[in-house]
Amino acid sequence: MSICNLCGSHSFKDFNGRALAMCVDCGSVERTRALKLILDAKGLVRAGMRVMHLAPETGIGRYLKATVGDGYESYDIDPSRYAADLDVRRMDLVTDVEGLPGEAYDLVLHSHVMEHLPCNETAVLYHLHRAIKPTGFHVFCVPIHHGYYESDLGRLTPTEREKRFFQNDHVRRFGREDIERTIGMLFPLAVTDLDQLATADELRDLGIPELAWRGISSHNFFVLGKDDLKLRP
Ligand SMILES: [Zn+2]
């Protein structure tokens, strides 16, 4: 029987054309449950840590806040979209990421955020990585589509964005064909295969599709240490 590893719910519903992808109770999707698996398997979350969670998913946010305590910080450009108990603070990554403190966080976490930012996403990823401690981790995921990278920061209509980037508030798409020339120039393109972390039955119970079990996908995460950044003086 399907179960959400964030809230224990057995109720799932279809989401964005994906059968039974979303937990009815906490809103987790495939990648959120994959993230919980990864965080647990790698022991990345502990009490007393300082964690920055961007565009916080409810289930993961509650788990992180309960586990790390006061060091949990969540941010979004529009905090009003979130449950009050997550205490989301306002941050516009376009203008504010430069001001982040260096080497301050044990964990910086974001999932499907980079495709929304109307600015140079390499600069944002650089600054987010700069904000992790020497012992910290930068954990993130982006949607990766067939074909090639494309971006347009101009005044596209929502319909044009939907057509080119698959959602009406996206400004770019990442492509499987040239991922080594985009994110791959910043970080090693290595993920932990999910089937190394859980059995096939467990992954099925978590509602994680088989295509996401191995290799880079829209559902899996890069787990990067300080020294993984390829941009160095
Ligand atoms: Zn749930």
Side-chain angles (χ1 to χ4, degrees):
M1 184 195 288
S2 295
I3 184 163
C4 175
N5 58 356
L6 285 153
C7 75
S9 175
H10 294 287
S11 303
F12 289 80
K13 63 183 179 183
D14 297 351
F15 180 67
N16 262 356
R18 309 195 302 272
L20 301 177
M22 181 177 275
C23 171
V24 170
D25 291 302
C26 78
S28 74
V29 293
E30 305 94 319
R31 65 179 179 273
T32 335
R33 297 186 292 274
L35 174 59
K36 176 67 161 52
L37 263 187
I38 293 164
L39 294 175
D40 285 349
K42 295 182 179 290
L44 294 179
V45 181
R46 294 185 300 278
M49 283 183 154
R50 188 173 180 195
V51 175
M52 175 163 52
H53 186 194
L54 303 172
E57 301 81 3
T58 306
I60 283 283
R62 286 178 179 153
Y63 160 71
L64 290 171
K65 193 174 180 201
T67 307
V68 307
D70 292 343
Y72 176 74
E73 301 171 19
S74 61
Y75 296 94
D76 193 84
I77 194 167
D78 181 7
S80 73
R81 292 189 297 203
Y82 296 86
D85 64 304
L86 289 177
D87 295 324
V88 181
R89 310 173 202 187
R90 187 175 189 281
M91 177 160 62
D92 181 348
L93 285 168
V94 177
T95 53
D96 300 342
V97 76
E98 260 185 68
L100 284 177
E103 303 193 347
Y105 291 91
D106 296 289
L107 179 65
V108 168
L109 186 59
H110 53 96
S111 173
H112 289 221
V113 172
M114 293 300 116
E115 68 277 18
H116 292 269
L117 302 176
C119 66
N120 183 314
E121 80 279 17
T122 293
V124 173
L125 287 167
Y126 173 86
H127 282 295
L128 293 173
H129 204 81
R130 182 176 60 73
I132 62 169
K133 293 177 182 176
T135 53
F137 287 91
H138 182 186
V139 176
F140 77 92
C141 169
V142 297
I144 299 172
H145 301 280
H146 293 298
Y148 292 85
Y149 178 91
E150 194 182 336
S151 175
D152 193 328
L153 306 183
R155 294 189 177 179
L156 298 183
T157 65
T159 307
E160 287 167 327
R161 293 188 189 289
E162 170 93 42
K163 191 173 164 198
R164 288 175 61 183
F165 309 128
F166 310 110
Q167 195 169 299
N168 63 19
D169 59 349
H170 286 180
V171 303
R172 63 178 52 83
R173 49 170 285 164
F174 294 93
R176 197 172 291 281
E177 300 300 326
D178 59 0
I179 190 76
E180 67 286 338
R181 288 191 273 144
T182 57
I183 291 170
M185 290 183 72
L186 275 168
F187 302 115
L189 291 173
V191 295
T192 302
D193 292 335
L194 299 176
D195 62 3
Q196 300 298 306
L197 307 180
T199 66
D201 283 344
E202 287 166 340
L203 292 172
R204 281 192 201 96
D205 284 348
L206 291 172
I208 297 171
E210 196 161 344
L211 62 84
W213 293 3
R214 281 166 225 110
I216 294 169
S217 77
S218 301
H219 307 291
N220 206 344
F221 285 77
F222 299 108
V223 177
L224 303 158
K226 196 73 173 173
D227 291 338
D228 285 324
L229 183 69
K230 293 182 178 181
L231 305 184
R232 292 165 188 281

